[in-house]
Amino acid sequence: MQVTETLNEGLKHEFKVSVPASDLDAKADARLVDLKDKVRLNGFRPGKVPVSHLKKVYGRSVMAETIDQTIRDTNTQIFTDRGFRLATEPKITMPTGEKEVEQILAGKTDLTYTVSVEVVPTIQLADFKSFSVEKPVVEVTETDIDEAVKRIADQSRPYAAKSEGAKAESGDRVTISFTGTIDGTPFDGGTGEGIQVVIGAGQFIPGFEEQLIGIGAGETRTLKVSFPKNYANEKLAGQPAEFETTATLIEAPGETRIDDEFAKTLGLETLDKLKQAVRERLVAEFAGATRQRVKRALLDRLDDSHRFEAPPSLVEEEFKLMWNSIKAEMESSGKTFADENTTEEAAKEEYHRIADRRVRLGLVLSEIGEKNKITVTEDEVSRAVIERARQMPGREKEVWDYYRNNTNALAQLRAPIYEDKVVDFILELANVTEKKVSREDLFKEDEAEKSAA
């Protein structure tokens, strides 16, 4: 066997491989000898079929199998000898001429093929003990708790019918029936009966609720609005519409007393118990936001510390996934690149940059996990599946069966668990300092942070 490297450019390599016909023929004959004791042919006793006869019957298919196995074994040896970690599946180019193929299958001509690969570069990991990461910390205050309890109370507030002849004001609840039209033609989903609308709550499309101010029970108005450009229904997105609307009841909001009795309506014994539950929820909410901020900061640090050429094919694959998603989203919303103050070329350049970052960080995290023997256990994956099932009450078995029978879906669950375990490993080594920040600062995100995630 002869192996000649014909291309060595960055992460791309190509080899020309030549396997003598005599080697292939010898391997094929060995397979036929092994086959001799396994096949049953009319006219021959078991194990007594001559190899020459087997060659006439099965020679072509056995040679094809021999060639396939030889290529796989040879490629593995090439990559192992050179210490290659493949970024993509090898691309093999075989002879295509009919006469040449027949000669190879007949064992009369050497097998010559080329194999092209793209490899993962050698990654020199940084010293994680030199990393400094700032951890934003927000304390849950009594004001935070009181505001959260008040929001719960506002959502549970009672409404009482206003006196005859009273007009709707902001904050009132109006019960309406309506028929919507576009260019005078009714559209699917454009009618409603007995719909309750709280003016100012932002439940309806922009401009709808405000036009109900001043309406009285029994009064009919034509409300003129336009559907948002990013409206979920593509046929309605951006369209001007009119709603013939009749108010049947006007109700004013009452006050909810925030006391033990209110807590009992929520299934809690006392107001103190309600406040404790709210505190726990806020602590968990703040902790989740803190985790995301720390993780983003750490990924930025990893990105800065590991600059190397990412395999182009992996970057292109990641870019295509993102770009197809972006294009589909823009088409559904009716937006253009100009609406985003950019051009298609500039957007492509930016998403190529993000794709490159994602691929490099993925390789770095994988390298860290591999070198430090970080793994995801089956119990951890099972817990993730159970958590997903809990999020869909009544469909738990369906969710469980979906993941049990779908290896790709399981891999998608496993990936973020693995990433978080690697992040935790790095944070244990890094110098993490806490910094008290406001709630507003904790939840503030800019576009750079979103892309880093």
Side-chain angles (χ1 to χ4, degrees):
M1 179 181 67
Q2 183 177 359
V3 178
T4 305
E5 187 167 23
T6 56
L7 176 68
N8 185 341
E9 293 181 358
L11 303 178
K12 295 183 178 181
H13 299 265
E14 183 178 279
F15 300 91
K16 182 178 180 180
V17 182
S18 180
V19 183
S22 57
D23 289 357
L24 292 175
D25 204 38
K27 291 179 180 180
D29 284 348
R31 292 172 69 90
L32 287 169
V33 170
D34 182 61
L35 194 63
K36 177 181 176 181
D37 296 327
K38 299 177 181 178
V39 299
R40 297 291 185 267
L41 291 178
N42 291 333
F44 296 95
R45 286 181 297 164
K48 299 299 182 180
V49 183
V51 173
S52 59
H53 186 71
L54 286 176
K55 197 165 189 176
K56 289 180 182 179
V57 179
Y58 298 110
R60 184 183 177 89
S61 60
V62 167
M63 180 59 81
E65 293 174 5
T66 300
I67 291 172
D68 182 62
Q69 187 63 51
T70 298
I71 290 174
R72 280 183 289 168
D73 292 344
T74 301
N75 289 347
T76 299
Q77 182 179 339
I78 292 172
F79 307 146
T80 302
D81 289 348
R82 290 160 177 78
F84 285 171
R85 291 175 56 198
L86 303 189
T88 57
E89 287 296 316
K91 180 182 178 182
I92 300 168
T93 304
M94 297 281 289
T96 56
E98 183 177 349
K99 184 176 180 180
E100 187 177 5
V101 171
E102 288 297 330
Q103 291 289 318
I104 294 172
L105 290 174
K108 297 178 180 180
T109 302
D110 295 348
L111 168 66
T112 300
Y113 70 93
T114 61
V115 54
S116 303
V117 293
E118 193 171 274
V119 301
V120 175
T122 300
I123 301 173
Q124 298 295 330
L125 295 179
D127 177 9
F128 304 127
K129 293 181 180 179
S130 68
F131 282 17
S132 295
V133 180
E134 190 174 80
K135 179 181 179 181
V137 176
V138 176
E139 293 183 0
V140 177
T141 65
E142 292 303 317
T143 299
D144 292 329
I145 296 172
D146 291 341
E147 289 178 351
V149 171
K150 186 178 185 306
R151 286 194 295 271
I152 296 172
D154 287 344
Q155 293 168 2
S156 306
R157 64 171 49 184
Y159 286 85
K162 299 179 77 168
S163 60
E164 185 176 350
K167 303 298 183 181
E169 302 174 80
S170 181
D172 286 351
R173 186 168 71 185
V174 184
T175 302
I176 60 173
S177 297
F178 57 83
T179 299
T181 58
I182 293 178
D183 294 331
T185 304
F187 55 89
D188 290 341
T191 60
E193 294 284 339
I195 306 300
Q196 293 181 329
V197 183
V198 176
I199 299 176
Q203 297 168 291
F204 278 60
I205 57 179
F208 188 99
E209 295 170 11
E210 291 80 356
Q211 294 181 63
L212 292 174
I213 293 176
I215 199 171
E219 182 181 343
T220 298
R221 285 184 180 180
T222 299
L223 311 185
K224 298 181 178 182
V225 295
S226 290
F227 286 95
K229 288 185 177 181
N230 61 348
Y231 195 65
N233 187 328
E234 297 179 21
K235 294 181 179 179
L236 302 180
Q239 295 286 336
E242 294 185 354
F243 287 86
E244 191 78 4
T245 305
T246 300
T248 56
L249 179 64
I250 312 296
E251 297 173 292
E255 290 297 325
T256 300
R257 289 178 58 87
I258 301 176
D259 52 18
D260 289 346
E261 291 304 313
F262 171 64
K264 289 177 182 178
T265 66
L266 300 174
L268 295 162
E269 299 172 1
T270 63
L271 179 58
D272 286 341
K273 293 283 189 181
L274 172 59
K275 288 185 175 182
Q276 180 59 33
V278 168
R279 174 185 290 276
E280 291 173 359
R281 179 176 62 80
L282 289 175
V283 167
E285 181 182 339
F286 293 172
T290 293
R291 168 74 178 187
Q292 288 303 108
R293 289 288 293 271
V294 169
K295 184 176 178 179
R296 280 196 292 266
L298 183 62
L299 291 178
D300 285 342
R301 188 75 172 84
L302 287 173
D303 181 34
D304 291 338
S305 303
H306 299 88
R307 292 291 177 176
F308 55 86
E309 180 190 1
S313 59
L314 295 185
V315 174
E316 189 61 26
E317 182 180 345
E318 181 69 23
F319 167 76
K320 285 181 179 178
L321 287 173
M322 288 191 297
W323 190 250
N324 290 338
S325 177
I326 292 296
K327 292 286 285 185
E329 182 180 338
M330 294 186 72
E331 288 174 5
S332 66
S333 65
K335 288 186 177 180
T336 66
F337 290 103
D339 293 332
E340 302 294 329
N341 297 318
T342 187
T343 64
E344 183 169 353
E345 292 73 18
K348 281 185 175 181
E349 183 177 344
E350 175 65 12
Y351 280 102
H352 262 118
R353 182 191 67 78
I354 296 173
D356 179 80
R357 171 190 164 99
R358 287 186 178 181
V359 170
R360 282 188 296 102
L361 284 176
L363 293 174
V364 170
L365 292 171
S366 178
E367 183 79 5
I368 296 169
E370 184 177 329
K371 287 193 172 181
N372 294 281
K373 296 180 173 56
I374 298 172
T375 59
V376 177
T377 67
E378 292 305 316
D379 283 346
E380 289 170 327
V381 176
S382 294
R383 286 197 294 270
V385 173
I386 291 170
E387 184 59 32
R388 288 293 179 92
R390 284 176 177 168
Q391 295 171 7
M392 302 184 71
R395 299 177 61 187
E396 289 87 352
K397 186 177 184 303
E398 179 184 340
V399 174
W400 183 265
D401 289 342
Y402 170 74
Y403 282 106
R404 185 180 62 181
N405 299 319
N406 192 324
T407 54
N408 288 335
L410 274 180
Q412 291 176 356
L413 276 186
R414 188 184 298 270
I417 299 173
Y418 180 82
E419 181 177 292
D420 280 341
K421 293 185 76 169
V422 175
V423 166
D424 287 337
F425 170 80
I426 300 171
L427 289 175
E428 287 180 5
L429 299 175
N431 178 31
V432 180
T433 56
E434 294 187 352
K435 177 185 178 182
K436 290 185 178 181
V437 299
S438 67
R439 177 177 179 171
E440 291 73 20
D441 285 339
L442 177 64
F443 288 96
K444 181 171 61 179
E445 286 189 350
D446 58 26
E447 290 304 314
E449 288 177 323
K450 290 179 181 178
S451 66

